[in-house]
């Protein structure tokens, strides 16, 4: 790797031993991927994936303290992934004991470290940092140092920023030193598509299901999706962005997609169209039968497959303001149709703290509360990491949560019927 004079000086210790170690880490990372150089991080803010104070993560806290003791702070303020704890979320006494006394015992201490290092705001904890209510939305062409997979794929695809799928801790190191290795999705060539995906469904495909199908097929490659504009339009309005948020999260967790292009819709696809497709690109056709096959392929890992759901999570990644409003209306209508006044399965909708504050100012917040739904800022995945949750029948419309936990996936329309008394859930 070729370093410029400033970069070499930092590596040689011109700004202290600690920053030299940070630079060495970034250089070694770049060497591993045969990067030719380092390029400046140009976004206004960074985003960290590590948000949870697990007791076993002592090396992370030690590293953070070394940085603070050396007077090294992030070049950028940053947001962080969601908190793992919220007393409003249903949990029995034993679960709460495990959460507070055994798992997340370092949460408060770790958050203090984050504040000293450069946390954007006390409530800047969300996986959807790019929401307007959060304030960490990169511009087209910005170079980022992010690690959260659902945020990376959204920033690359919907916003046209440039970021590799970095690992945790490397995200903050890139921000501290102000440089990241130039390879992969930072390069023009690395952003070209080696898959063409043709959507030929008879109705609007479920975002999480379509993303799952594509992720499992293309893995870490870049897909160019044709035919989806028929269902979500050619404008990146709130509805389209919310759809692509959920779609992208599924491609990133059920595969390892860091960038996708949607024909006639996403920035680079609008600008370059099929010039983005590499010669010899593979093709994948998705119709109704293929989506049905994919959903039926998901394993059921509940102890009792026919058990009645005891908890439902919606919002992984976090819901947008419009999604909260839409769910409120849908639940009210479904409850009325099913002859119910309140939901029949304890249900948690998760969203960024800033989004929840904005939602609370609308009439929809009181209406949703009347249905019995709980809103929270937590990470459902971190909640489900409690070992006691493995035997708990939890349902979700998130393919990311399904992939990483024992939660069972249902489409949004299925979730709506289950939680409003229109269906029992369990075996399908």
């Amino acid at each position: 790797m070729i370093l410029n004079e400033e970069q070499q000086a930092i590596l040689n210790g011109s700004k202290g031993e600690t920053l030299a170690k940070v630079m060495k880490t970034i250089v070694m990372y770049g060497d591993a991927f045969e990067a030719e150089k380092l390029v400046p991080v140009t976004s206004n803010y960074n985003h960290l994936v590590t948000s949870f104070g697990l007791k076993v993560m002592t090396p992370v806290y030690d590293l953070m303290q070394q940085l603070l003791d050396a007077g090294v702070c992030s070049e950028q303020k940053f947001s962080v992934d969601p908190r793992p704890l919220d007393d409003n979320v249903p949990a029995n006494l034993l679960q709460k004991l495990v959460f507070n006394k055994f798992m997340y015992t370092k949460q408060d201490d770790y958050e203090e470290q984050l504040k000293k290092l450069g946390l954007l705001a006390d409530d800047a904890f969300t996986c959807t940092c790019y929401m307007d209510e959060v304030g960490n939305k990169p511009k087209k062409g910005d170079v980022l140092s992010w690690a959260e997979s659902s945020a990376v794929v959204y920033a690359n695809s919907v916003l046209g920023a440039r970021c590799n799928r970095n690992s945790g801790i490397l995200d903050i190191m890139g921000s501290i030193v102000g440089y990241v290795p130039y390879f992969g999705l930072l390069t023009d060539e690395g952003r070209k598509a080696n898959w063409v995906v043709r959507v030929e469904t008879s109705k609007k495909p479920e975002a999480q299901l379509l993303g799952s199908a594509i992720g499992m097929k293309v893995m870490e490659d870049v897909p160019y999706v044709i035919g989806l504009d028929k269902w979500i339009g050619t404008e990146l309005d709130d509805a389209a962005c919310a759809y692509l948020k959920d779609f992208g999260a599924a491609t990133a967790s059920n595969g390892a997609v860091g960038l996708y292009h949607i024909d006639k819709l996403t920035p680079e696809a609008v600008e370059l169209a099929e010039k983005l497709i590499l010669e010899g690109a593979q093709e994948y056709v998705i119709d109704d039968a293929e989506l049905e096959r994919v959903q039926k392929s998901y394993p059921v890992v509940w102890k009792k497959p026919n058990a009645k759901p005891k908890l439902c999570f919606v919002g992984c990644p976090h819901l947008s303001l419009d999604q909260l409003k839409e769910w409120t209306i849908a639940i009210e209508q479904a409850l009325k149709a099913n002859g119910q006044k309140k939901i029949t399965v304890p249900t948690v909708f998760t969203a960024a703290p800033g989004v929840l504050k904005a939602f609370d100012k609308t009439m929809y917040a009181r209406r949703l509360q009347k249905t019995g739904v709980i809103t929270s800022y937590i990470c459902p995945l971190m909640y489900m990491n409690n070992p006691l949750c493995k035997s708990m029948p939890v349902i979700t419309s998130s393919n990311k949560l399904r992939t990483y936990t024992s939660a069972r996936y249902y489409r949004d329309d299925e979730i709506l019927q289950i939680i409003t008394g229109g269906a029992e859930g369990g075996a399908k």
Side-chain angles (χ1 to χ4, degrees):
M1 184 185 297
I2 300 171
L3 303 182
N4 64 28
E5 188 175 334
E6 180 190 6
Q7 295 161 356
Q8 188 65 54
I10 295 173
L11 184 62
N12 292 342
S14 67
K15 294 187 178 180
E17 180 183 0
T18 300
L19 205 59
K21 289 180 180 178
V22 174
M23 177 61 86
K24 182 179 179 181
T25 302
I26 292 295
V27 170
M28 290 174 68
Y29 173 42
D31 282 341
F33 287 92
E34 300 181 348
E36 62 185 64
K37 61 182 178 180
L38 299 178
V39 292
V41 175
T42 61
S43 57
N44 289 330
Y45 305 109
N46 192 22
H47 182 78
L48 277 61
V49 70
T50 312
S51 60
F52 37 91
L54 281 169
K55 188 175 181 179
V56 297
M57 292 178 58
T58 301
V60 171
Y61 316 134
D62 289 345
L63 173 62
M64 294 296 190
Q65 197 58 49
Q66 287 182 48
L67 294 170
L68 291 171
D69 290 345
V72 174
C73 291
S74 173
E75 289 287 311
Q76 309 158 298
K77 295 287 186 179
F78 53 83
S79 51
V80 194
D81 262 18
R83 289 182 169 107
L85 301 172
D86 182 358
D87 290 337
N88 293 322
V89 176
N92 60 40
L93 288 175
L94 187 54
Q95 286 174 325
K96 289 181 178 179
L97 180 67
V98 172
F99 280 136
N100 294 301
K101 300 298 182 182
F102 295 97
M103 290 183 67
Y104 300 113
T105 56
K106 303 293 291 183
Q107 189 66 31
D108 291 342
D109 294 339
Y110 181 49
E111 289 192 21
E112 281 302 312
Q113 287 183 319
L114 293 175
K115 290 176 185 177
K116 292 175 182 176
L117 200 60
L119 187 62
L120 179 60
D122 287 349
D123 64 351
F125 288 84
T126 177
C127 52
T128 57
C129 59
Y130 43 81
M131 295 285 183
D132 290 337
E133 296 83 0
V134 181
N136 185 0
K137 180 183 286 188
K139 301 184 295 296
K140 186 176 185 293
D142 271 348
V143 174
L144 316 179
S145 180
W146 292 6
E148 160 56 42
S149 62
S150 68
V152 166
V153 73
Y154 187 93
N156 274 321
S157 310
V158 181
L159 303 179
R162 298 201 170 199
C163 186
N164 281 312
R165 281 174 56 104
N166 303 304
S167 65
I169 305 303
L170 279 172
D171 49 11
I172 187 63
M173 288 191 173
S175 184
I176 286 171
V177 81
Y179 294 100
V180 287
Y182 183 70
F183 71 94
L185 298 177
L186 268 60
T187 69
D188 290 343
E189 191 65 20
R191 298 178 72 83
K192 291 185 177 178
N194 34 25
W195 279 88
V196 174
V197 178
R198 299 189 185 278
V199 177
E200 298 180 358
T201 55
S202 63
K203 59 183 179 180
K204 182 180 178 180
E206 187 84 3
Q208 295 267 4
L209 190 55
L210 179 64
S212 171
I214 294 174
M216 289 192 289
K217 174 65 75 170
V218 311
M219 296 308 290
E220 76 279 5
D221 287 342
V222 177
Y224 189 98
V225 183
I226 297 174
L228 188 56
D229 59 290
K230 174 182 177 181
W231 302 111
I232 63 175
T234 57
E235 297 289 334
L236 283 174
D237 54 18
D238 290 341
C241 288
Y243 184 98
L244 295 178
K245 163 182 70 73
D246 294 336
F247 164 83
T251 68
S253 58
N254 286 201
V257 175
L259 165 67
Y260 58 81
H261 302 292
I262 308 297
D263 189 48
K264 301 183 182 67
L265 183 59
T266 52
E268 286 161 278
V270 169
E271 182 181 342
L272 298 171
E274 296 190 6
K275 292 177 183 177
L276 286 167
I277 302 171
L278 289 168
E279 186 177 348
Q282 299 182 74
E283 188 165 300
Y284 178 35
V285 176
I286 298 181
D287 55 16
D288 297 342
E290 176 63 358
L291 289 182
E292 184 179 357
R293 181 197 68 79
V294 168
Q295 185 172 359
K296 285 182 176 179
S297 74
Y298 298 154
V300 177
V301 294
W302 287 1
K303 249 185 173 180
K304 297 179 181 178
N306 295 321
K308 183 178 178 180
K310 291 187 177 180
L311 184 63
C312 172
F313 276 115
V314 176
C316 180
H318 277 170
L319 295 169
S320 70
L321 181 59
D322 280 355
Q323 284 179 309
L324 284 169
K325 294 176 181 178
E326 290 165 3
W327 269 104
T328 299
I329 296 169
I331 287 175
E332 288 175 333
Q333 292 174 346
L335 285 173
K336 184 177 181 180
N338 294 329
Q340 302 285 346
K341 291 186 177 181
K342 286 185 177 290
I343 55 171
T344 56
V345 177
T347 299
V348 180
F349 285 0
T350 62
V355 171
L356 290 176
K357 287 179 182 177
F359 182 64
D360 285 343
K361 295 177 182 177
T362 71
M363 64 178 180
Y364 296 94
R366 292 181 294 279
R367 288 164 53 182
L368 184 63
Q369 188 178 29
K370 286 182 180 179
T371 70
V373 171
I374 296 166
T375 57
S376 176
Y377 49 74
I378 68 165
C379 173
L381 199 157
M382 291 298 105
Y383 176 98
M384 290 293 295
N385 271 349
N386 186 322
L388 296 175
C389 289
K390 289 184 178 179
S391 59
M392 186 177 177
V394 178
I395 60 174
T396 184
S397 57
S398 165
N399 242 311
K400 181 172 185 176
L401 190 61
R402 173 200 70 83
T403 302
Y404 294 137
T405 73
S406 59
R408 187 169 179 174
Y409 173 82
Y410 288 91
R411 299 187 313 271
D412 282 345
D413 61 330
E414 294 172 323
I415 288 283
L416 183 62
Q417 287 304 308
I418 294 170
I419 67 176
T420 59
E424 286 294 318
K428 289 186 282 188

